[in-house]
């Protein structure tokens, strides 16, 4: 019921096609992806410049990361998130990074199995 309420933005009793896809297949919902980008930026963009620096990405405000986790995040930032290698992840790069269709998610899943 909560998922329905979240998806049914235009009409509480019905969903349009984009809302339905967002409910059933969140990976194909642009609004869901935009929401995830906003959440990530709210959590990590400490200077509120609309971009993530490497230093911002390496700190989690909700938990202390151990050395291995910091090293993993650093590698992820350099190899996956910062596509143009300028040391900054802009919104376009963050959208591409968070997109469930991005191949890095499949690689991470395969490694974890």
């Amino acid at each position: 019921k909560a998922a329905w309420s979240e998806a049914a933005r235009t009409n509480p009793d019905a969903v349009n096609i984009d809302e339905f896809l967002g409910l059933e297949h969140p990976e194909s919902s642009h609004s869901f992806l935009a929401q995830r980008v906003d959440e990530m930026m709210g959590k990590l963009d400490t200077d509120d410049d609309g971009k993530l620096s490497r230093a911002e990405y390496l700190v989690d405000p909700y938990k202390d990361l151990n050395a291995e986790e910091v090293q993993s995040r650093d590698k992820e930032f350099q190899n996956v998130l910062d596509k143009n290698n300028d040391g900054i992840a802009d919104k376009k790069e963050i959208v591409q990074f968070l997109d469930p269709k991005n191949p890095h998610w499949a690689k991470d899943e395969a490694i974890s199995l």
Side-chain angles (χ1 to χ4, degrees), residues 1-2 4 20 32 40 47 50 54 56 72 81-82 89 92-93 99-100 105 109 111:
K1 187 173 181 172
W4 178 273
F20 175 76
F32 176 75
M40 183 176 181
D47 61 5
R54 182 176 155 269
E56 288 173 319
S72 175
L81 187 53
D82 183 19
K92 182 180 177 184
E93 290 169 316
D99 188 344
W105 293 114
E109 183 69 21
I111 289 168

Side-chain angles (χ1 to χ4, degrees), residues 24-44:
E24 293 295 313
H25 303 282
E27 71 276 5
S28 60
S29 169
H30 296 288
S31 59
F32 176 75
L33 186 54
Q35 179 183 352
R36 291 201 52 216
V37 169
D38 290 342
E39 288 171 3
M40 183 176 181
M41 295 301 288
K43 177 181 173 183
L44 300 176

Side-chain angles (χ1 to χ4, degrees), residues 5-32:
S5 296
E6 181 72 25
R9 292 189 181 111
T10 57
N11 178 353
D13 298 322
V15 291
N16 63 32
I17 189 69
D18 186 51
E19 293 167 340
F20 175 76
L21 288 173
L23 182 63
E24 293 295 313
H25 303 282
E27 71 276 5
S28 60
S29 169
H30 296 288
S31 59
F32 176 75

Side-chain angles (χ1 to χ4, degrees), residues 28-85:
S28 60
S29 169
H30 296 288
S31 59
F32 176 75
L33 186 54
Q35 179 183 352
R36 291 201 52 216
V37 169
D38 290 342
E39 288 171 3
M40 183 176 181
M41 295 301 288
K43 177 181 173 183
L44 300 176
D45 185 19
T46 56
D47 61 5
D48 293 321
D49 65 351
K51 303 177 259 183
L52 289 181
S53 67
R54 182 176 155 269
E56 288 173 319
Y57 189 69
L58 297 180
V59 175
D60 189 321
Y62 304 124
K63 72 175 198 169
D64 291 328
L65 301 175
N66 63 39
E68 185 179 314
E69 291 170 320
V70 170
Q71 184 179 6
S72 175
R73 276 192 176 205
D74 188 33
K75 183 179 176 184
E76 185 174 62
F77 185 85
Q78 292 179 36
N79 298 331
V80 182
L81 187 53
D82 183 19
K83 287 294 191 186
N84 63 3
N85 298 312

